[in-house]
Amino acid sequence: MSGILAIISEYNPFHNGHLKHLTFSKQLTKADFSIAIISGNFVQRGDASLVDKWTKAEMALQAGFDIVLELPTIYAISSAENFAEGAVKILNSLGIVDYLSFGSELGELEPLNNLAHLLYKEPKELSFLIHQHLKTGISYPRAREMALMDFLGENALYKQALNSPNNILGIEYLKALKKYKSSIKPITIKREYSDHNSTTIKQGIASSTAIRNLLQKKKNIHTLVPFETYELLEKQKQDGKIIPHLAVFEKEIIYCLRRMTLPEIAALPDVSEGLENKIKLAANHCNHLTDLIDHIKSKRFTTTRIQRILLYALLNISQKDMNIAKRITPYVRVLGFNKHGKKIISAIAKQNPKAHIIISVKKFMESTTDNHLRNLLSKDIFATNVYTLGYQNEPIANLDYTHKIIEI
């Protein structure tokens, strides 16, 4: 089996821009098969997914992917670096992927690859510059960006690359490919018409952020998404299974923080420099998510970072869990496939007999002797159980055990 393309995304939800990216990537690589790795029920910016992971998997399959895999929750809600590393580790473990395509505002691979190489090697001078900028109280991503510009000089192309979210994520993909000495060939497709957080609409393309905002305002989005996506979204709305934002879980989050001790909050990922005291104080005095975040955030701790910390608390994910996830190769969790996807599963099993391919969660949890993978999967199961609490109807648990794999 050859000519296999992979794309890593959140598809929150799948829209016309995503379809264009998939189509162009297939044309450019002449790939015969395509794999999507997607976030589950919670996403990288520290938010809830608009719809559940199986609905997103169905959107991707209807759009033309052959198989959809889940990026485990621990990676999916983490920093860009951990998000990218988790996904690349999975792709690398398959042993059959030829291309990794990602969207970028720059649309040029060479400058992104140069920055990825520099960050992968991280010379002492660059480390020193990052440390110096951190001393001013700014966030780590901002400190790293400023250190790189000091190191490279005021290069307009690199400055543009470091100022855009998809470029930054692309750099992390490239860095991860280098770190794991992957043979997967990266390509990038220029993201046009709509930036990552843009609310503008142009030529039938809008960002996922814009589409979610329109849905919250009860506006029609049928021209901005493929027909199959629109139908799936409409069905989820009718069934009361749309989760518009993290604030749906604000009471659960505040309850968790009030219940936790200071040492337990301090043991959450991304909590440092005594931030646990500020979080605990805010949780004891705030009843709404926006107030809670406003009381905690600062130049050093951005809103996105705070939201991730709140998710870690809600989903019972500790720094110890994160450290283990960084050391291991994740399982291959299949959410859905078509007839070509079945061939891909067979090819993976043949190429890498040691790959942990999960078709049945129940069978895997009963048979695995790997406690690290069991713990990793238990976080996905719990994340789904928490997510369904946001449903207006039927907030049942254990869907990871009972929900059928999506077959197209």
Side-chain angles (χ1 to χ4, degrees):
M1 180 176 282
S2 61
I4 298 180
L5 164 72
I7 293 177
I8 304 162
S9 191
E10 293 186 323
Y11 295 147
N12 188 32
F14 192 97
H15 55 64
N16 291 343
H18 294 136
L19 181 60
K20 181 180 177 182
H21 177 211
L22 174 60
T23 303
F24 280 13
S25 298
K26 285 183 174 180
Q27 291 172 355
L28 189 62
T29 61
K30 297 181 172 56
D32 298 313
F33 302 91
S34 53
I35 299 172
I37 294 190
I38 67 168
S39 303
N41 295 322
F42 294 92
V43 295
Q44 201 257 333
R45 59 195 290 267
D47 208 345
S49 177
L50 183 70
V51 291
D52 69 83
K53 57 193 177 187
W54 293 282
T55 302
K56 293 196 292 184
E58 188 168 354
M59 289 175 183
L61 290 168
Q62 293 284 11
F65 279 101
D66 296 311
I67 188 168
V68 181
L69 310 177
E70 180 181 3
L71 179 62
T73 302
I74 284 183
Y75 306 106
I77 64 172
S78 186
S79 65
E81 181 179 39
N82 290 336
F83 179 97
E85 274 205 28
V88 167
K89 282 195 288 188
I90 293 171
L91 290 178
N92 215 33
S93 74
L94 304 184
I96 61 170
V97 177
D98 298 296
Y99 305 98
L100 170 60
S101 176
F102 60 90
S104 66
E105 291 86 356
L106 201 59
E108 296 178 42
L109 195 62
E110 186 178 356
L112 299 177
N113 206 32
N114 290 342
L115 288 166
H117 182 77
L118 184 58
L119 289 171
Y120 171 57
K121 293 295 185 182
E122 195 169 308
K124 289 182 180 180
E125 184 183 347
L126 179 59
S127 298
F128 174 78
L129 289 169
I130 293 172
H131 184 67
Q132 291 301 109
H133 282 293
L134 281 172
K135 285 182 177 179
T136 65
I138 58 177
S139 67
Y140 179 80
R142 178 61 178 152
R144 192 178 75 165
E145 176 192 332
M146 294 177 70
L148 281 166
M149 292 315 302
D150 291 343
F151 189 86
L152 295 166
E154 285 296 320
N155 183 301
L157 192 62
Y158 288 137
K159 189 171 186 177
Q160 180 187 352
L162 292 165
N163 276 331
S164 304
N166 287 281
N167 289 339
I168 292 168
L169 194 51
I171 291 167
E172 294 298 343
Y173 292 143
L174 294 167
K175 191 175 79 172
L177 290 172
K178 295 176 191 298
K179 179 175 179 178
Y180 295 101
K181 297 178 173 54
S182 178
S183 62
I184 298 171
K185 183 180 179 182
I187 64 168
T188 188
I189 306 293
K190 185 174 177 60
R191 185 181 179 118
E192 296 181 302
Y193 309 126
S194 178
D195 292 335
H196 177 70
N197 288 318
S198 171
T199 56
T200 60
I201 300 169
K202 190 174 182 181
Q203 297 192 21
I205 293 178
S207 70
S208 294
T209 301
I211 291 169
R212 291 193 300 272
N213 288 342
L214 288 169
L215 285 170
Q216 286 183 44
K217 296 173 184 176
K218 296 183 170 24
K219 302 288 186 181
N220 199 314
I221 49 94
H222 75 277
T223 61
L224 305 175
V225 298
F227 176 72
E228 293 81 3
T229 292
Y230 180 75
E231 281 200 320
L232 286 165
L233 287 172
E234 285 297 300
K235 184 178 186 308
Q236 293 302 99
K237 278 199 293 183
Q238 290 169 13
D239 293 344
K241 294 180 179 178
I242 292 281
I243 309 291
H245 41 64
L246 188 62
V248 169
F249 305 100
E250 67 181 0
K251 295 302 181 188
E252 290 86 348
I253 290 169
I254 292 170
Y255 160 75
C256 286
L257 294 174
R258 289 185 178 182
R259 177 187 57 78
M260 294 172 75
T261 64
L262 279 173
E264 286 172 335
I265 296 174
L268 296 172
D270 288 348
V271 175
S272 61
E273 302 171 55
L275 184 64
E276 65 272 17
N277 297 293
K278 201 171 182 182
I279 292 172
K280 189 68 171 177
L281 184 65
N284 288 340
H285 289 86
C286 299
N287 287 317
H288 299 288
L289 191 70
T290 51
D291 294 337
L292 181 71
I293 293 169
D294 286 342
H295 275 75
I296 303 169
K297 70 180 183 181
S298 63
K299 280 200 305 179
R300 172 83 86 190
F301 298 100
T302 63
T303 297
T304 298
R305 182 169 173 179
I306 297 303
Q307 287 186 181
R308 287 195 195 115
I309 291 170
L310 299 182
L311 268 186
Y312 297 140
L314 178 66
L315 303 180
N316 192 29
I317 293 172
S318 68
Q319 184 61 53
K320 182 181 177 181
D321 296 323
M322 188 69 72
N323 292 341
I324 292 170
K326 288 179 180 180
R327 295 198 305 267
I328 64 174
T329 299
Y331 41 74
V332 181
R333 170 77 187 279
V334 180
L335 293 177
F337 52 74
N338 60 21
K339 63 179 181 179
H340 298 303
K342 289 183 179 180
K343 294 178 183 178
I344 292 173
I345 294 171
S346 298
I348 295 166
K350 184 178 179 181
Q351 184 66 27
N352 182 6
K354 293 183 179 180
H356 299 275
I357 302 173
I358 300 178
I359 303 295
S360 166
V361 167
K362 183 176 184 292
K363 286 181 180 178
F364 182 81
M365 291 298 273
E366 288 175 350
S367 63
T368 186
T369 57
D370 190 321
N371 288 331
H372 292 329
L373 292 183
R374 184 193 298 276
N375 182 59
L376 194 66
L377 184 56
S378 72
K379 301 301 180 184
D380 295 347
I381 295 167
F382 185 63
T384 304
N385 291 343
V386 171
Y387 184 81
T388 58
L389 291 174
Y391 289 171
Q392 294 175 26
N393 305 311
E394 299 180 357
I396 57 176
N398 293 326
L399 289 183
D400 284 276
Y401 288 97
T402 60
H403 202 295
K404 293 181 179 180
I405 284 182
I406 306 298
E407 290 192 56
I408 300 296

